[in-house]
Amino acid sequence: MDPLFVSSVISNLLSILFLIYLLFRFFELSFLNPIVKYSFSILEPISRPLRLILPVIFNIDFSSLVLSIFFKGLSFYLYVESQSLSTDSIESITWACLSVLLTISLILRYSLFISIIGSWVAPTSNNALLFICHGITQPLLRPFQRLTAFGGIDFSPIIVFFILIQIDRMIHNLRFYLELPGLF
């Protein structure tokens, strides 16, 4: 197995972990949740030094965002090198930023899906993952729940899914316009 490809995968996983940590901080999830607490204990020492330069503004942890973009760019660069393709640093950074946006959208969609299934299967569950998914998706659903509750059926997840899919389409169109490779 190619060591550059393995390094690319590891770098991509680190980027996803920092994005999840960013979402935990953005949605102000409870640190009493064992998953949030564990991720905080692992990732906070890495992002704390960078936070001196890039603070948390409006619940957006810019240090985690920059680390995620860095690891996505590194992943892209390592993958391109493992395939003996040519690229430049601007292309890597642009690809990394678009990939981070797509990954955030993907995390939000999976959280919404898990939250919906969890509310059907185990509505009174104390599962830590379900609390996280509910904590992430509830602020997204709340503005639409006032408008879409008809006869006890909530159509707000459909609207949020539709919006996230449209955002994905805009990002993919931008990727095609910039002629970036499709490695998302």
Side-chain angles (χ1 to χ4, degrees), residues 69-70 72-78 80-81 85-98 180-181:
I69 291 171
F70 169 76
K72 278 286 188 185
L74 180 62
S75 173
F76 175 72
Y77 178 76
L78 291 171
V80 166
E81 287 297 316
L85 302 172
S86 63
T87 186
D88 60 358
S89 59
I90 299 296
E91 186 177 73
S92 295
I93 292 170
T94 306
W95 183 90
C97 291
L98 292 177
L180 296 172

Side-chain angles (χ1 to χ4, degrees), residues 3-74:
L4 285 176
F5 180 75
V6 172
S7 300
S8 172
V9 170
I10 292 171
S11 179
N12 197 24
L13 287 175
L14 284 170
S15 173
I16 292 169
L17 287 175
F18 277 105
L19 281 178
I20 291 171
Y21 180 68
L22 170 79
L23 291 174
F24 287 172
R25 291 185 65 96
F26 181 75
F27 290 108
E28 297 177 338
L29 297 179
S30 172
F31 285 99
L32 298 176
N33 188 315
I35 298 172
V36 176
K37 185 177 180 180
Y38 183 71
S39 70
F40 182 80
S41 68
I42 298 295
L43 299 175
E44 181 64 19
I46 299 169
S47 62
R48 185 179 301 131
L50 192 57
R51 199 169 292 123
L52 296 173
I53 303 167
L54 300 167
V56 176
I57 301 173
F58 300 117
N59 289 343
I60 300 173
D61 185 3
F62 286 101
S63 62
S64 294
L65 182 62
V66 166
L67 284 169
S68 181
I69 291 171
F70 169 76
F71 283 120
K72 278 286 188 185
L74 180 62

